[in-house]
Amino acid sequence: ALGTGMFETGAIQVRAMRCEHYSIADNDPADGFIDVSARVGAGREAAAKKAVGDAIFTAMTAFLAPQFEDTHFALSFEMRETCTLDRS
């Protein structure tokens, strides 16, 4: 995210949560997944958001390359635009 130049350093926040309770339809204990949800503030051009999303997904895919060798691994990525509240 920093490498894209779209965000200020202090604007990037990361949370990681391990889920002890989840369900995968086939109940195979070998299955694993990472689900990434990114939120960006409103006002950016669609092309810029797409470029950032592509860059982040490409970086995640490269980092997780060894995991993709196992057919029991899935990665999902969703980027949403958030709205801001007028607090005046």
Side-chain angles (χ1 to χ4, degrees), residues 22-32 72:
Y22 61 90
S23 178
I24 298 176
D26 67 1
N27 293 316
D28 187 338
D31 290 343
H72 295 280

Side-chain angles (χ1 to χ4, degrees), residues 1-14:
L2 272 176
T4 67
M6 188 170 180
F7 308 103
E8 295 176 15
T9 303
I12 297 174
Q13 301 172 3
V14 177

Side-chain angles (χ1 to χ4, degrees), residues 2 6 8 11 28 35 43 45 55 64 72 81 83 86-87:
L2 272 176
M6 188 170 180
E8 295 176 15
D28 187 338
D35 176 45
E45 296 290 326
L64 295 166
H72 295 280
E81 184 176 82
C83 62
D86 182 2
R87 297 185 187 264

Side-chain angles (χ1 to χ4, degrees), residues 2-78:
L2 272 176
T4 67
M6 188 170 180
F7 308 103
E8 295 176 15
T9 303
I12 297 174
Q13 301 172 3
V14 177
R15 296 171 187 87
M17 295 172 275
R18 181 183 177 120
C19 295
E20 298 295 331
H21 304 283
Y22 61 90
S23 178
I24 298 176
D26 67 1
N27 293 316
D28 187 338
D31 290 343
F33 65 93
I34 296 176
D35 176 45
V36 177
S37 177
R39 295 183 300 244
V40 297
R44 293 179 174 87
E45 296 290 326
K49 290 185 288 191
K50 172 142 180 31
V52 166
D54 289 346
I56 292 170
F57 190 76
T58 297
M60 289 188 303
T61 301
F63 181 79
L64 295 166
Q67 297 296 322
F68 288 112
E69 294 175 12
D70 183 349
T71 59
H72 295 280
F73 177 74
L75 171 65
S76 62
F77 176 72
E78 175 186 20

